[in-house]
């Protein structure tokens, strides 16, 4: 199945390619110039999403190792939007802050910035759990192990990131004997079992506050994991990430102050950018790591 997805003017394909090329071994993602190949499980079927980035459109091929129901086809389409960073339109935010004295100059230095997402909400959540409080290299190695233990291979040979049902069937020892801490393993399995049983539904039918409360009720999931999931998984346009240290650091630099604003003040600063606080956070993060051309 093929489809062409239009790309907006000023689309920063390099950002998208960089996000999906973190694992240099390319087990579940293979990234080349202007191309992404991503393995995902959809409805217990291994699926290869092959995306060729052109100047004006992305030519996307969905290669499934089995039949996909219309609902699962919609899931594949949803994953493509996430991978291509097309869920949140930045234009309303850009218009809103054009004259803002604090973020206006930041935004003008980063035209076309978008929020790249994981293919699925479940992937974003599990990656956040895996990567919390460890360095990126170790986190990527653990993610690779996680995929090998719970994922499946597509007929192309590419591994597919697992669904909740795949993870729910794991024994904790399958992870703890491969360098996962017991707490990470238990949290991953607990999350997967809740999702697989239907006790926790990962969709966008509820607002961010309801979703955050539901996720925080899961033992082992804290505010940082929830914030990451809201941004990289759900793609809500108005998330207040006032607890994020990098956001507070960015405000400190922009305000020219000696200390980071506390969470209450950071929340008040971000409130100025509602209902576009997610894009505000993305630009604040990017301000800490400007591109060479900025």
């Amino acid at each position: 199945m093929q489809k062409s997805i239009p790309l907006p003017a000023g689309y920063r394909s390099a950002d998208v390619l960089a996000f999906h090329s973190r694992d240099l071994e390319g087990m579940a993602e293979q990234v080349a110039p202007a191309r992404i190949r991503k393995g995902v499980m959809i409805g217990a079927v291994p699926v290869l999403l092959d995306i060729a980035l052109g100047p004006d459109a992305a030519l996307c091929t969905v290669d499934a190792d089995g039949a996909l129901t219309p609902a699962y086809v919609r899931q594949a389409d949803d994953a493509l939007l996430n991978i291509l960073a097309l869920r949140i339109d930045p234009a309303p935010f850009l218009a809103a802050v054009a004259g803002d004295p604090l973020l206006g100059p930041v935004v003008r230095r980063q035209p076309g910035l978008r929020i790249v997402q994981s293919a699925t909400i479940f992937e974003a959540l599990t990656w956040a759990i895996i990567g919390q409080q460890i360095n990126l290299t170790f986190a990527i190695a653990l993610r690779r192990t996680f995929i090998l233990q719970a994922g499946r291979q597509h007929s192309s040979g590419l591994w597919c990131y697992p669904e909740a049902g795949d993870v729910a069937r794991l024994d904790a020892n399958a992870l703890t004997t491969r360098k996962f801490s017991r707490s990470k393993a238990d949290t991953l399995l607990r999350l997967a079992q809740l999702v697989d049983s239907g006790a926790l539904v990962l969709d966008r039918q509820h607002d961010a506050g309801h979703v955050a409360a539901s996720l925080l009720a899961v033992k082992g999931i804290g505010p940082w994991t929830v914030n990451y999931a809201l941004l990289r998984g759900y793609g809500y346009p108005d998330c207040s990430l006032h607890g994020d240290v990098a956001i507070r650091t960015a405000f400190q630099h922009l305000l020219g102050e000696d200390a980071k604003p506390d969470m209450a003040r950071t929340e008040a600063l971000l409130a100025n950018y509602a209902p576009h606080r997610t894009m505000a956070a993305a630009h604040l993060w990017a301000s800490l790591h400007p591109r060479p051309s900025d």
Side-chain angles (χ1 to χ4, degrees):
M1 180 177 65
Q2 279 193 335
K3 66 180 300 183
S4 180
I5 299 178
L7 298 176
Y11 184 76
R12 286 168 43 159
S13 58
D15 294 353
V16 174
L17 294 169
F19 180 85
H20 297 293
S21 62
R22 291 169 297 180
D23 185 352
L24 297 180
E25 292 192 15
M27 175 182 293
E29 303 90 8
Q30 293 176 345
V31 178
R35 190 177 184 192
I36 301 168
R37 300 174 78 241
K38 166 80 175 177
V40 294
M41 294 297 300
I42 298 178
V45 176
V47 176
L48 172 63
L49 302 175
D50 193 333
I51 304 169
L53 295 168
D56 303 307
L59 180 61
C60 306
T61 303
V62 179
D63 181 3
D65 283 350
L68 294 178
T69 66
Y72 292 145
V73 170
R74 288 193 294 272
Q75 286 186 28
D77 290 343
D78 193 65
L80 290 170
L81 287 180
N82 293 345
I83 291 168
L84 289 167
L86 295 176
R87 183 163 298 283
I88 298 176
D89 179 3
F93 169 73
L94 299 181
V97 301
D100 185 80
L102 195 61
L103 284 194
V106 173
V107 169
R108 286 191 287 275
R109 289 196 296 270
Q110 303 168 89
L113 181 68
R114 288 177 169 266
I115 297 172
V116 191
Q117 294 178 269
S118 299
T120 67
I121 295 171
F122 184 71
E123 180 177 352
L125 261 172
T126 49
W127 168 239
I129 293 167
I130 290 168
Q132 190 171 15
Q133 296 181 331
I134 58 176
N135 67 60
L136 183 60
T137 300
F138 186 37
I140 289 171
L142 289 185
R143 178 181 184 270
R144 203 176 295 133
T145 296
F146 178 69
I147 294 170
L148 285 173
Q149 292 302 306
R152 300 186 225 173
Q153 272 187 298
H154 183 265
S155 57
S156 65
L158 199 65
W159 280 84
C160 297
Y161 201 91
E163 291 180 301
D166 300 312
V167 181
R169 290 187 285 271
L170 286 181
D171 182 272
N173 290 335
L175 299 176
T176 57
T177 57
R178 292 168 175 83
K179 299 186 179 181
F180 275 79
S181 68
R182 185 72 197 200
S183 62
K184 280 187 192 294
D186 286 346
T187 301
L188 286 167
L189 298 186
R190 186 178 300 115
L191 171 69
Q193 289 159 5
L194 287 169
V195 174
D196 188 47
S197 70
L200 179 65
V201 178
L202 304 181
D203 62 27
R204 300 179 180 86
Q205 299 306 308
H206 297 286
D207 64 29
H210 180 277
V211 169
S214 299
L215 294 176
L216 287 171
V218 179
K219 183 180 178 183
I221 292 182
W224 187 89
T225 300
V226 170
N227 285 340
Y228 187 92
L230 291 174
L231 184 79
R232 298 292 191 189
Y234 289 89
Y236 287 122
D238 193 35
C239 298
S240 180
L241 304 182
H242 51 276
D244 188 274
V245 173
I247 296 294
R248 295 168 58 207
T249 300
F251 270 130
Q252 177 191 350
H253 291 172
L254 292 175
L255 293 166
E257 297 179 350
D258 295 330
K260 300 180 189 68
D262 61 20
M263 284 200 291
R265 186 174 173 221
T266 303
E267 184 175 16
L269 287 167
L270 286 170
N272 295 322
Y273 305 105
H276 311 293
R277 286 175 289 181
T278 302
M279 282 304 306
H283 279 274
L284 287 163
W285 277 325
S287 73
L288 297 174
H289 306 286
R291 298 183 300 168
S293 59
D294 289 346

